[in-house]
Amino acid sequence: MGRTFRIGGVHPPQHKDTAGRPIVRMALPRSVTLLVGQHIGAPAELIVAVGDAVVRGQLVAEAAGAVSAPVHTPISGKVTRIALVKNSAGMPAKAVVVEADEENHVADENGLQESPDDRDSAVTAEEIREIAGKCGVVGLGGATFPSRIKLSPPKDSAIDTIVINGAECEPYLTCDDALMREYSQEIVRGSEYMMRACGAERVLIGIEDNKPEAIAAMADACGSSGVQVAVLRTKYPQGGEKQLVQALTGRTIGSGCLPASVGVVVHNVATARALYRAVKFGEPVMERIITVAGDVARPGNYLVPVGTRISSVIDMAGGIREDEVKVILGGPMMGRVAENLDAPTVKGLSGIIVLSGAQARRHAPEPCIRCGECVNVCPMGLSPYLMSTLSRLGRTDDAAAHGIADCMECGCCSYVCPASRPILDFIRVGKQKLAADRKRKKK
């Protein structure tokens, strides 16, 4: 039996219907809208102006501040607009729009299969970190934390293990599964670069046991290197950072602490591959694999240029088949509802899940029956019902005292609640208010 974390967790239906389907490259769009804030930290700072000509892979916005990441264009063309656009949540966000003419579009499409210049693989740890920063490598599992920083652990942290997250525990999502099947060698090479950058001794690649083909492909790619595959039990949220480290190493990360505090650095499989492409070929992050699943005609895993309209990706998958649907960005447990389908895709977008009205409809919430199920399934050992109630009542200080900041927002509590209470919704509101209060007190 595979390894797993010690407390909590649930087993939602997997819905891995797109597993085993090959990655399909989406045709390059004629126009892309590139948000400058598609990562954790300060938004990137634009270095182009309206009317500028740009080429595929060119930097259009540079990192601004200690925690930030640059943005590159996936198409050649001309900068036609710099403006506030609506993101997927319907909120205004600064972006640069690049449009290609016929000549640029054809040249880019014809050049997709060309091998980029191969760089010297004997790079130093500092060079790896520098390349990760310049190429805009961020956590592609969804967190989008700049990888350059993760590859630069504090000097007082003795990192001995790199953990690569291939669990992909969210229902519907299979983009990481597809990546491991088709690009196992590149993932392993990227994880070796990570090991070199952090001075670690080993790499553990955690994969849930519902992905036997990915496990076999990754095990073959590891060979005799310091990288090994570790099989995990299928259980949600197995891919949570603290849960994954505990399952693979037996180490427990304390409240408010990072994996580095126990000698571990965690990265996603897609991030490992992106680092390999960056170090080996100087290739920036300008496209990613997205699972499109649910109520669409052609569900699958698509390689999508960053900045493509979400609606265009759905159209490529055959379009929405019903009038009344809910579109979830990410997985159904931790993802968010898309309020604007004309918004552009971003680096951290792993899935577009189209749920029919019947699937997405929530039951009317009823009074809490004090069953304790939310406590039993919480993988952080918290009391979700209490934090949710305190947040609903505006008692954020009390919620903070009960560990609301440690909530990973996995949604297990809401999933099991027999009263259909929006437990996680109120916890999220409480966390946002707590963060706002703390920011206000610092001023």
Side-chain angles (χ1 to χ4, degrees):
M1 183 176 289
R3 312 179 209 186
T4 191
F5 50 98
R6 296 183 188 131
I7 62 171
V10 294
H11 295 86
Q14 296 177 29
H15 293 295
K16 302 286 190 178
D17 304 323
T18 54
R21 300 194 182 189
I23 298 168
V24 176
R25 177 181 283 277
M26 184 178 185
L28 292 177
R30 299 295 182 102
S31 174
V32 292
T33 301
L34 303 168
L35 300 184
V36 298
Q38 50 180 299
H39 50 265
I40 286 180
E45 193 171 287
L46 287 169
I47 59 169
V48 293
V50 173
D52 286 356
V54 294
V55 297
R56 175 174 162 83
Q58 182 176 326
L59 179 72
V60 295
E62 61 185 6
V67 182
S68 187
V71 177
H72 303 76
T73 175
I75 64 171
S76 302
K78 184 177 290 187
V79 175
T80 59
R81 191 159 64 102
I82 294 174
L84 291 177
V85 301
K86 287 186 177 181
N87 63 16
S88 61
M91 302 300 290
K94 191 173 184 179
V96 54
V97 178
V98 177
E99 295 186 10
D101 56 27
E102 184 64 26
E103 184 178 353
N104 284 321
H105 185 74
V106 171
D108 280 347
E109 284 284 4
N110 291 339
L112 288 177
Q113 303 306 319
E114 294 179 3
S115 296
D117 294 334
D118 190 349
R119 293 186 177 188
D120 182 6
S121 60
V123 291
T124 66
E126 182 55 39
E127 288 171 334
I128 292 170
R129 291 190 285 268
E130 184 179 341
I131 292 169
K134 287 183 176 180
C135 289
V137 181
V138 298
L140 297 178
T144 64
F145 191 78
S147 299
R148 168 185 55 83
I149 300 173
K150 271 196 176 184
L151 296 172
S152 310
K155 293 181 179 179
D156 58 349
S157 299
I159 304 300
D160 58 37
T161 303
I162 302 293
V163 165
I164 303 296
N165 185 357
E168 197 167 48
C169 56
E170 275 267 17
Y172 288 96
L173 300 185
T174 60
C175 53
D176 286 349
D177 185 1
L179 191 71
M180 289 186 285
R181 295 181 193 220
E182 297 192 29
Y183 296 102
S184 55
Q185 292 282 355
E186 295 190 4
I187 294 170
V188 170
R189 291 297 304 279
S191 65
E192 290 172 342
Y193 286 138
M194 291 173 173
M195 186 164 55
R196 189 183 309 174
C198 295
E201 301 167 0
R202 62 173 179 168
V203 173
L204 299 176
I205 303 176
I207 309 173
E208 285 192 328
D209 57 14
N210 63 350
K211 304 174 184 65
E213 292 83 1
I215 290 170
M218 292 300 299
D220 287 344
C222 288
S224 58
S225 67
V227 184
Q228 65 183 83
V229 170
V231 179
L232 299 162
R233 194 185 311 170
T234 298
K235 180 181 175 183
Y236 179 86
Q238 191 75 260
E241 202 169 57
K242 293 187 176 183
Q243 288 69 35
L244 190 61
V245 169
Q246 186 180 82
L248 294 180
T249 69
R251 304 172 191 176
T252 299
I253 302 170
S255 173
C257 296
L258 297 172
S261 65
V262 294
V264 179
V265 171
V266 182
H267 288 280
N268 177 264
V269 289
T271 311
R273 180 184 180 244
L275 182 64
Y276 166 77
R277 302 293 302 179
V279 173
K280 193 72 172 174
F281 306 118
E283 183 179 292
V285 177
M286 53 185 175
E287 57 188 11
R288 67 153 298 136
I289 300 169
I290 298 174
T291 298
V292 186
D295 196 26
V296 292
R298 292 187 297 274
N301 294 297
Y302 296 93
L303 184 60
V304 179
V306 171
T308 304
R309 284 186 179 186
I310 294 170
S311 58
S312 298
V313 182
I314 295 174
D315 288 342
M316 185 181 181
I320 296 172
R321 296 190 294 184
E322 290 190 16
D323 293 334
E324 185 183 351
V325 297
K326 179 181 287 186
V327 178
I328 306 292
L329 302 183
M333 296 294 286
M334 294 186 73
R336 302 295 182 101
V337 174
E339 301 291 345
N340 174 30
L341 295 184
D342 285 330
T345 61
V346 291
K347 295 179 184 181
L349 180 57
S350 57
I352 301 173
I353 315 301
V354 181
L355 301 179
S356 67
Q359 290 174 307
R361 193 170 296 117
R362 283 187 170 189
H363 297 290
E366 299 176 7
C368 174
I369 62 174
R370 301 295 191 271
C371 65
E373 276 302 297
C374 62
V375 178
N376 292 336
V377 300
C378 179
M380 298 301 296
L382 303 172
S383 298
Y385 75 92
L386 179 58
M387 296 186 302
S388 179
T389 300
L390 292 171
S391 297
R392 179 171 58 84
L393 296 174
R395 294 168 55 182
T396 50
D397 288 341
D398 291 334
H402 284 88
I404 194 172
D406 287 327
C407 172
M408 60 185 287
E409 302 183 25
C410 65
C412 289
C413 51
S414 293
Y415 177 78
V416 300
C417 181
S420 303
R421 296 189 65 77
I423 300 174
L424 178 57
D425 300 67
F426 281 118
I427 289 176
R428 281 175 168 163
V429 170
K431 290 179 70 174
Q432 291 170 358
K433 188 175 186 304
L434 182 64
D437 289 346
R438 288 176 174 173
K439 185 176 181 180
R440 188 164 50 249
K441 289 176 182 178
K442 287 182 179 179
K443 291 182 179 180

